[in-house]
Amino acid sequence: MSHGSEGRPFRLIPVIDLRHGQVVRARAGERDAYAPIDTPLARGSRPADVARGLLDAVGGDRLYVADLDAIMEGRAPDRASLEAVAGACPGVTLWVDAGFSDFPGIERFTALGLGRPVIGSESQLDAALVRTLGNRAVLSLDSRGAERLGPDALHDDAETWPEDVIVMTLARVGTGTGPDLSGVSRAVEAGKGRRIYAAGGVRGPEDVAHLARTGAAGALVASAIHDGRLR
């Protein structure tokens, strides 16, 4: 296992993207074009089967779930899929991004006991929800290319960040173009001990080693696991 600059174990966190009750293959953040996944790790695209296949491939006790119907269309979280995944992955904590943008929505989700909410900056109007939740949630600092998504206050003011922060570079997702090392490095420096996770572009062990050297706590990965480059 790789280690970050402070000697902490580097976590690989598998990712599934849900759309219409299936796992889809994410690429470059073009969510409308995502198609049901075809992977050697599972038969079909059922969320529970794909999640189990990913975790069997790399181990770990966390799984990131992006509920694209909730993020894109403002729907309630896909409870049936989340329950199926949780049932198939006992002992695994789900990090769930379902486009949460208000406290009542967070309360309804947490009452289900299906995971820890991820607050995506792209879904926020200001920093209030992140400040209110503190370490009960994970913050995802979302960007697409050079465009930072969501309030500048979330990107610029590390004092608002919880202990777990994802640097989510959507344009790199599923493209095999490499992670945003400079962006991750900046977040590590600004975060002053917070755990920073890279998301988007991780190709294999070499990228993991580079991220570990930046001080990142881990990386969210899907394509490199499905394709056999990380096992």
Side-chain angles (χ1 to χ4, degrees):
M1 178 179 289
S2 298
H3 289 75
S5 62
E6 298 178 8
R8 295 184 298 208
F10 186 95
R11 289 181 178 271
L12 284 180
I13 302 179
V15 173
I16 60 172
D17 291 274
L18 301 180
R19 186 91 161 115
H20 306 319
Q22 300 181 84
V23 178
V24 293
R25 188 77 178 245
R27 183 173 176 81
E30 301 296 334
R31 292 166 174 157
D32 286 327
Y34 290 0
I37 200 161
D38 181 11
T39 173
L41 303 181
R43 295 181 63 181
S45 56
R46 290 185 295 273
D49 295 341
V50 177
R52 189 67 262 166
L54 286 164
L55 287 161
D56 286 346
V58 298
D61 60 359
R62 297 180 193 178
L63 178 77
Y64 176 94
V65 182
D67 184 337
L68 300 181
D69 295 321
I71 293 170
M72 297 168 63
E73 301 171 16
R75 298 187 189 185
D78 182 350
R79 181 173 178 175
S81 292
L82 292 172
E83 288 178 339
V85 170
C89 306
V92 172
T93 298
L94 306 185
W95 285 9
V96 180
D97 185 349
F100 301 114
S101 60
D102 58 46
F103 194 70
I106 290 287
E107 287 189 309
R108 288 191 295 271
F109 171 74
T110 54
L112 300 176
L114 290 173
R116 189 177 176 193
V118 175
I119 309 303
S121 67
E122 67 172 326
S123 301
Q124 309 309 302
L125 295 177
D126 54 40
L129 184 61
V130 172
R131 288 197 182 99
T132 298
L133 292 170
N135 292 330
R136 286 176 284 173
V138 178
L139 171 63
S140 180
L141 296 173
D142 306 322
S143 65
R144 181 175 282 107
E147 180 188 6
R148 302 192 304 182
L149 305 178
D152 286 338
L154 284 177
H155 291 271
D156 293 335
D157 184 4
E159 294 302 315
T160 67
W161 299 355
E163 63 188 0
D164 290 305
V165 179
I166 299 165
V167 176
M168 175 71 72
T169 52
L170 290 167
R172 294 174 185 253
V173 168
T175 62
T177 53
D180 179 10
L181 294 173
S182 61
V184 170
S185 182
R186 287 194 299 272
V188 168
E189 183 177 357
K192 298 178 181 177
R194 291 170 174 83
R195 293 184 290 268
I196 307 299
Y197 300 85
V202 175
R203 295 164 291 194
E206 187 173 342
D207 285 336
V208 167
H210 287 317
L211 286 166
R213 283 195 289 272
T214 71
L220 278 58
V221 186
S223 294
I225 304 174
H226 291 297
D227 298 343
R229 289 172 278 138
L230 280 174
R231 291 292 170 91

